[in-house]
Amino acid sequence: MAEADAKVKDAPKKRKGLPALLVPLLACVLGAAAGGAGAAIAVLKFAPGLIAGGGAHTPAAAPHDPVPEGPLEYVEVDNAFTSNLADSGRYLQVKISLSTFGGPEAVESIEKHKPALVSAVLAALGEVREPDIESAKAKDDLRARLKGVINSALKSKGEPGGVEEVFFTSLVVQ
C-alpha cells in the first residue's frame, strides 16, 4: 500500500480549470469585444449621421439650416445699425454682411425686403447688453441671433429665408 501511495504522490497533478494558453487568449477576445462596444457607443453618441438612417441630431436633419443650392454669395447691407446698449449709457454700432447659398433668388429677396430686415435687426440690437458683446463667443452668439431674426423676417414675408451666416464688417461700442 505504501508503494501505491508513493505513486500517487509522484504522479503529476492534473490542473482544474482552463488550460494555461486559453486564459490569455480569452482575455484578448474579451478586451477586443469591450473595445468594439465602446467604439459603437461613441459612434452612436457623437456621429449618428454615419449610420444608415442618420438620426435627429445630424446637421442635415436640422430644419432651420438652409440646404446649400448654389454657390456662396455675399450681400452687403449698407446700413450702419446704431443702438443703445440695454444696460448702460453706451451705444453699439455695427455693419453687417450676409452670406447665402440660395442663389440670385435669395439675394433678390434680401434686397426686396431690406426695410423689414433693417427693422428686425434694429429691434434685436435694442435688446443687446454689454455682456452680449464682451467676448468673441458672445459676438458669435449675437451673430447667430441676428441670423435667426433675419431668416424669420424673410419667412414672415413669404420668402424661404436662406441666410447662411451674418458677418460683422464693423463693430463699434462707445
Side-chain angles (χ1 to χ4, degrees):
M1 195 60 113
E3 206 174 294
D5 287 336
K7 284 184 181 180
V8 170
K9 284 184 183 177
D10 292 338
K13 294 184 178 180
K14 290 187 177 182
R15 292 185 187 197
K16 293 182 179 177
L18 300 173
L21 291 176
L22 192 56
V23 173
L25 179 64
L26 185 59
C28 287
V29 169
L30 290 176
I41 290 170
V43 166
L44 288 173
K45 182 170 183 167
F46 298 112
L50 295 177
I51 298 171
H57 300 303
T58 60
H64 55 80
D65 289 339
V67 177
E69 296 173 10
L72 183 65
E73 295 187 48
Y74 294 96
V75 179
E76 182 74 29
V77 179
D78 51 0
N79 294 63
F81 299 95
T82 305
S83 179
N84 291 328
L85 292 173
D87 60 350
S88 72
R90 302 172 76 187
Y91 72 89
L92 168 70
Q93 184 178 58
V94 296
K95 288 189 80 174
I96 61 173
S97 186
L98 312 174
S99 67
T100 181
F101 283 110
E105 297 83 17
V107 172
E108 184 180 315
S109 70
I110 290 168
E111 294 293 334
K112 177 180 175 184
H113 299 291
K114 194 173 279 188
L117 301 181
V118 168
S119 178
V121 169
L122 283 172
L125 290 176
E127 298 172 354
V128 172
R129 300 172 302 118
E130 284 200 43
D132 296 330
I133 54 170
E134 285 181 342
S135 68
K137 166 95 171 79
K139 289 175 185 139
D140 286 343
D141 292 343
L142 178 58
R143 289 183 325 108
R145 188 165 57 186
L146 292 177
K147 173 188 168 186
V149 165
I150 291 168
N151 280 328
S152 292
L154 286 170
K155 288 178 183 173
S156 74
K157 300 298 179 195
E159 302 292 342
V163 171
E164 181 71 22
E165 205 165 348
V166 173
F167 300 95
F168 292 128
T169 55
S170 174
L171 189 144
V172 177
V173 178
Q174 289 187 339

